[in-house]
């Protein structure tokens, strides 16, 4: 049975954050998200929007390393979903992303309720 909350957080990296400042910015923001966890059982998924110029400036391996390091230090953060942007999102686009995240959470809640609180699949042998 799931005891904690399941939440999605949407972050957009500000335009002024350069590849050199990305790690520090992300660490600070993710630690702030981690601090919002109310219990050890809370699960948080972060959807992170970043300008492609920052991602290209760092390279794929460095970005993966940064994301893994940040997630590894925050026990309630399950994962960070990265989305590259050509331009910053507008307020309406951010709201649309939040609405999509809410719909995903509602679908998961419905699945948990339908399964009696057990999302794991049982293997055939005991």
């Amino acid at each position: 049975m799931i005891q904690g909350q399941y939440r999605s957080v949407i972050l957009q990296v500000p335009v002024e954050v350069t590849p050199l400042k990305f790690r520090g910015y992300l660490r600070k923001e993710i630690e702030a998200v981690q601090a919002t966890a109310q219990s050890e059982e809370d699960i948080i998924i972060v959807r992170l929007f970043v300008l492609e110029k920052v991602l290209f400036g760092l390279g794929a391996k460095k970005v993966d390393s940064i994301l893994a390091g940040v997630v590894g230090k925050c026990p309630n953060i399950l994962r960070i979903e990265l989305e590259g942007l050509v331009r910053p999102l507008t307020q309406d686009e951010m709201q649309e992303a939040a609405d999509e995240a809410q719909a995903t959470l509602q679908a998961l809640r419905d699945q948990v309720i339908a399964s009696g609180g057990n999302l794991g699949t049982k293997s055939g042998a005991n």
Side-chain angles (χ1 to χ4, degrees):
M1 184 80 165
I2 296 175
Q3 299 294 319
Q5 293 182 0
Y6 184 78
R7 295 186 296 127
S8 180
V9 175
I10 297 173
L11 296 175
Q12 179 171 218
V13 177
V15 176
E16 60 271 6
V17 173
T18 65
L20 291 175
K21 295 179 181 178
F22 179 72
R23 180 190 308 255
Y25 169 82
L26 185 62
R27 184 177 295 143
K28 182 182 85 171
E29 291 297 318
I30 296 299
E31 286 173 357
V33 170
Q34 172 64 40
T36 66
Q38 298 175 359
S39 76
E40 291 179 8
E41 292 84 19
D42 285 0
I43 298 171
I44 304 169
I45 294 177
V46 177
R47 192 163 179 206
L48 181 67
F49 294 94
V50 185
L51 290 177
E52 288 178 349
K53 67 180 184 176
V54 173
L55 298 175
F56 291 140
L58 290 166
K61 287 184 179 182
K62 186 70 170 176
V63 171
D64 286 344
S65 173
I66 291 169
L67 295 178
V70 170
V71 169
K73 293 178 182 173
C74 298
N76 294 96
I77 307 287
L78 179 64
R79 70 176 178 265
I80 298 176
E81 298 173 350
L82 185 65
E83 180 128 5
L85 302 173
V86 175
R87 61 166 178 76
L89 295 177
T90 65
Q91 190 63 34
D92 288 341
E93 291 168 328
M94 287 290 287
Q95 185 59 50
E96 184 179 320
D99 292 344
E100 287 174 13
Q102 188 60 37
T104 301
L105 288 176
Q106 187 58 49
L108 180 63
R109 283 186 195 110
D110 294 345
Q111 184 180 358
V112 169
I113 290 169
S115 70
N118 184 5
L119 288 178
T121 57
K122 294 183 179 181
S123 58
N126 283 4

